[in-house]
């Protein structure tokens, strides 16, 4: 689970757009960049190198 306030403040480091939380995969998804950033131990990992490509 990710804090709602944190989710409102975080943006994609590539596109600077909002992120969508995927609770099943524990990821923050950037539709604009086509990337999903992992959440590990409750901490979002906002590194492009660690992100999963959606396409």
């Amino acid at each position: 689970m990710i804090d709602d306030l944190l989710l409102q403040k975080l943006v994609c480091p590539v596109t600077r757009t909002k992120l969508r939380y995927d609770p099943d995969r524990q990821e923050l998804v950037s539709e604009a960049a086509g990337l999903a950033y992992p959440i590990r131990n409750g901490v979002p990992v906002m590194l492009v190198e660690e992100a999963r490509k959606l396409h």
Side-chain angles (χ1 to χ4, degrees), residues 13-52:
V14 175
T15 62
R16 301 285 186 227
T17 56
K18 290 191 174 212
L19 299 164
R20 175 180 55 82
Y21 175 54
D22 182 342
D24 294 330
R25 293 185 143 242
Q26 286 297 295
E27 294 176 329
L28 294 176
V29 178
S30 171
E31 301 291 345
L35 297 171
Y37 299 93
I39 299 172
R40 296 188 184 130
N41 298 320
V43 179
V45 180
M46 303 304 294
L47 300 172
V48 175
E49 303 83 35
E50 296 290 322
R52 177 177 67 83

Side-chain angles (χ1 to χ4, degrees), residues 1-12:
M1 189 92 189
I2 190 163
D3 182 65
D4 286 334
L5 184 58
L6 178 61
L7 183 58
Q8 290 174 18
K9 293 185 182 282
L10 285 176
V11 295
C12 174

